[in-house]
Amino acid sequence: MFNDIPLTERPEHVPPGRVIDFDIYNINVPDAEYQLYLRDTLQAPGVPDVFWSPRYGGHWVTTRAATTREVLTRHEDFSSSKLVIIRELNPNPPFAPLQIDPPDHTLYRNLLMKAFSPQAVSVLGEDARRLAIDLIKGFKGRGECEFIGDFAAHLPIRIFMTMVNLPESDRPELLRIADQLVRGHTVEEHQAGQQRLAAYAMQKIAERRANPGDDLISELTQARVNGELMSDYTLLGMMTLLLIAGLDTVATMMGFFARFLALNSDYRKELIANPAKASTAVEELLRRFPIANLGREVARDCVLDGVQLRAGDMVLVPTAVFGLDDRQFDDPEKVDFDRKNKIHATFGDGPHRCMGSMLARVELKVFLEEWLKQIPDFDVKPGVQLQVSSGSVAGLRSLPLVWKV
């Protein structure tokens, strides 16, 4: 993937001892142990807390919890205006509010707060539970399923599509577009995905401007920022962000959760015997299995880990290095539902921390509770070689599960 992009020569401000050839878009991981691979690679002896890779025009990489937190919270130095280290892949129009830095960031974030409030999430959680039960009943008797396609690609996505009032018939095409956009193998493929999603979004924006309803898209078409309706350009960026977030990230995270439980019966038994642990289990699994690799652009000359960074430099922030940092956690590789320190960066940090995190937690909790009630004992299908795609978001391509009927 992206092998045709030439390496970049080391700039003068990058110390020779801080250069490591690391490629986040070309990772082949045996047995889908993606997070451990990043930990073992980026936190190996001798690897600095921040280094520079010559890939994709050159960019910095954070490797520890401390430097990760600094980049995500120092928004004056590290801008979200560019989210992807391959500059040609950055969204156009920009994703609002994700690519808008404070103070204007708050103006756009506030427009979405109602949709992700505790009251709204509570109602959506009830919908998610009913849907989870129905989905599981639909394939339980078969003794097998392809978890991503049969469950994870339905539950959070259908809840999201309810929020924005999109027809279920659009779901397969939207999933194909999201996969192309997030995990395309070339710059052209990514850009084609952006264009397809933009065309779809603009059609919906025009429809809701003309005939607004009570869904989130309609509310955004009528929302005002500084007294003015948002332009189609700004609204397109905001809606595209919602579509990508709703169509991909929670489903992908759910896949890693299911794989872990399939391979570790003791943890299944612990949750079955102690259902009240579901919330803490979600938090611990979020810490252990992050999937996002965030990008930031250096807004002004600054220092990170004693190294001079220049305005315009790009920084890659793999969230997995936070949750698996042995300076931050005791025995970080081990999953411990009773772990006291579960602070993680799986949903980011700072002003751009994911505002949909509450809904994501509810959906993941519903999965744990309802799946284990109906299918308490299951395994990965024997002989299957699981594949993880890497990039801005890592994901399992498929996850065949089996159980006795």
Side-chain angles (χ1 to χ4, degrees), residues 311-329:
D313 287 356
M314 290 301 299
V315 185
L316 174 67
V317 184
T319 54
V321 302
F322 191 109
L324 288 169
D325 189 349
D326 58 8
R327 301 177 192 169
Q328 179 77 16
F329 303 98

Side-chain angles (χ1 to χ4, degrees), residues 12-23:
E12 291 185 2
H13 69 282
V14 176
R18 295 274 183 159
V19 178
I20 297 176
D21 185 355
F22 173 73
D23 188 348

